[in-house]
Amino acid sequence: QVTLKESGPALVKPTQTLTLTCTFSGFSLSTRGMRVSWIRQPPGKALEWLGRIDWDDDKYYTTSLKTRLSISKDTSKNQVVLTMTKMDPVDTATYYCARLGGLTTEVRRDDAFDLWGPGTFVTVSS
Amino acid sequence: SYVLTQTPSVSVAPGQTARISCGGNNIGSTVVHWYQQKPGQAPVLVVYDDYDRPSGIPERFSGSNSGNTATLTISRVEAGDEADYYCQVWDSSSDHQVFGTGTKVTVL
């Protein structure tokens, strides 16, 4: 069974650094074609793609947050870590991790997020 | 960056057909994926690669994509279809994933 689950603090103060962990099972991020993304959703608003880490350790970040984001993986622990610096109240959101590359064995760049974690809500407030 | 625009809301009576559009520049030249998100839940993939359905998704959900518009069609709408729906593509110029602005489907 393939699952993903986000974990981390529910509350961070402005200017602090947020660290979230996505722990997954049922697949390996060392398998060619596998990728994990972070996506967030402020209350009542749309989904926003934040970034992605690929099986070959390539990383991509949304342009507007590129200077604040870092994504890393620990293949042995089946974990992907998101770090976001200089947190602000506007960063209050539900943060999701989701898998790419699980629908086919073909290696593609344009495939869909076939599985998502349940999300973790992060409040930024003093 | 690539922008996907969706109609904010669609209302439909039970048993009728809901059509949700996703507009983007020449979107027909790429594949589009669709997600359903119910309140308090994570998104769920309902259509991928324009018109394919993951296992467990009813045939009532279908998709099409041409020109500058992709469409998710929900036939014989049920109360349980009430949710937010998001389209998503891969932007080849940046190698980033992009989500649409979302459409709230209300079942009357």
Side-chain angles (χ1 to χ4, degrees):
Chain A
Q1 184 183 7
V2 179
T3 63
L4 303 95
K5 187 174 183 179
E6 308 84 356
S7 60
L11 177 66
V12 297
K13 290 179 168 47
T15 75
Q16 287 187 335
T17 295
L18 171 69
T19 300
L20 295 176
T21 301
C22 174
T23 303
F24 55 88
S25 63
F27 68 98
S28 173
L29 200 41
S30 61
T31 299
R32 188 165 181 264
M34 284 296 173
R35 289 148 286 150
V36 171
S37 274
W38 285 95
I39 298 132
R40 73 177 179 179
Q41 185 174 40
K45 294 189 177 182
L47 300 170
E48 178 185 18
W49 181 80
L50 298 179
R52 190 183 81 236
I53 188 164
D54 297 354
W55 76 97
D56 56 3
D57 210 36
D58 279 350
K59 301 156 191 175
Y60 301 83
Y61 304 104
T62 189
T63 303
S64 61
L65 295 171
K66 186 174 184 178
T67 60
R68 298 175 51 205
L69 292 175
S70 177
I71 299 176
S72 62
K73 64 181 173 74
D74 186 329
T75 304
S76 65
K77 293 183 178 178
N78 281 350
Q79 291 181 334
V80 172
V81 175
L82 171 74
T83 302
M84 181 180 292
T85 62
K86 302 175 183 177
M87 292 294 285
D88 183 273
V90 300
D91 297 313
T92 294
T94 299
Y95 288 76
Y96 298 99
C97 60
R99 181 179 79 161
L100 292 161
L103 285 171
T104 70
T105 56
E106 177 187 0
V107 177
R108 294 172 51 177
R109 313 300 292 182
D110 60 353
D111 51 350
F113 296 104
D114 67 320
L115 287 167
W116 297 62
T120 186
F121 186 69
V122 178
T123 300
V124 184
S125 175
S126 55
Chain B
S1 62
Y2 195 74
V3 176
L4 295 174
T5 302
Q6 298 181 237
T7 304
S9 63
V10 168
S11 297
V12 58
Q16 299 304 303
T17 298
R19 293 180 178 85
I20 304 159
S21 64
C22 175
N25 184 36
N26 200 27
I27 195 174
S29 66
T30 188
V31 293
V32 178
H33 316 298
W34 291 92
Y35 304 87
Q36 176 194 68
Q37 185 181 32
K38 296 183 179 180
Q41 298 183 20
V44 172
L45 180 67
V46 292
V47 167
Y48 67 98
D49 291 357
D50 294 338
Y51 51 77
D52 286 331
R53 287 182 308 278
S55 61
I57 301 300
E59 292 183 5
R60 301 185 298 103
F61 288 85
S62 62
S64 62
N65 184 17
S66 178
N68 293 318
T69 305
T71 303
L72 174 69
T73 301
I74 310 173
S75 304
R76 302 180 299 282
V77 166
E78 302 174 357
D81 299 331
E82 189 163 283
D84 294 326
Y85 291 82
Y86 293 91
C87 56
Q88 179 254 311
V89 301
W90 172 66
D91 179 6
S92 60
S93 64
S94 61
D95 202 349
H96 291 182
Q97 275 67 32
V98 179
F99 286 98
T101 51
T103 297
K104 180 176 181 60
V105 172
T106 300
V107 181
L108 301 171

